[in-house]
Amino acid sequence: MDVENKGQASVPSGGSLTFSSGNYLALNDPQTIGTQSYTFECFFYTASNGLQTILGATATGGMSIWLLGDGINPVTIIQIDRSNIDAAQYTVSPITLNTWHHLAVTRDSLNNASVFLDGVKATGSASNATNYTASSGLIG
């Protein structure tokens, strides 16, 4: 995911999004998921087969979603973790460079977790009872 930071950008009248001092789009009201059900959806575009953050934790213990790439081969693994602890990996079809993709990550009240890339359910870890104790809210 390529996010370009050209100085401090913000959304006027409400300020719901800003660019952090790095290359992350930061939610002004990051959320702590805890043990509750959730759905995270986004569209992303990437020009790299390297390791990339889709959703980042704003503090240790928050949920992160990664594209796990080696920089050479097409990415086929999406990882969800809590600051590199309790990592769950999901196998998806190879992610095509320079193309928009849709990602959906869900957890229901029974701790069943699912990852969907472009509407196709990934294989891999299916249970996720992780308690995300810190907020998530960095995008990119």
Side-chain angles (χ1 to χ4, degrees), residues 4-12 17-20 25-26 28:
E4 191 171 340
N5 184 5
K6 295 182 179 180
Q8 290 292 330
S10 63
V11 177
L17 302 172
T18 59
F19 278 97
S20 67
L25 183 62
N28 284 348

Side-chain angles (χ1 to χ4, degrees), residues 116-127:
F116 297 87
L117 180 68
D118 297 327
V120 177
K121 187 174 182 179
T123 60
S125 301
S127 178

Side-chain angles (χ1 to χ4, degrees), residues 30-54:
Q31 300 297 304
T32 300
I33 296 169
T35 58
Q36 66 187 336
S37 302
Y38 63 81
T39 297
F40 172 85
E41 288 188 68
C42 71
F43 285 91
F44 69 91
Y45 180 99
T46 184
S48 168
N49 285 321
L51 175 68
Q52 297 167 75
T53 306
I54 297 290

Side-chain angles (χ1 to χ4, degrees), residues 52-117:
Q52 297 167 75
T53 306
I54 297 290
L55 175 68
T58 57
T60 301
M63 184 174 82
S64 295
I65 301 172
W66 305 84
L67 301 181
L68 290 186
D70 61 11
I72 299 167
N73 299 300
V75 174
T76 59
I77 301 292
I78 294 175
Q79 178 170 300
I80 302 167
D81 64 41
R82 180 176 52 98
S83 305
N84 291 319
I85 302 169
D86 302 319
Q89 294 186 347
Y90 299 82
T91 303
V92 296
S93 297
I95 294 173
T96 306
L97 297 181
N98 304 309
T99 302
W100 284 100
H101 294 279
H102 179 259
L103 176 67
V105 178
T106 66
R107 177 170 69 183
D108 65 19
S109 61
L110 299 175
N111 295 321
N112 297 310
S114 299
V115 171
F116 297 87
L117 180 68

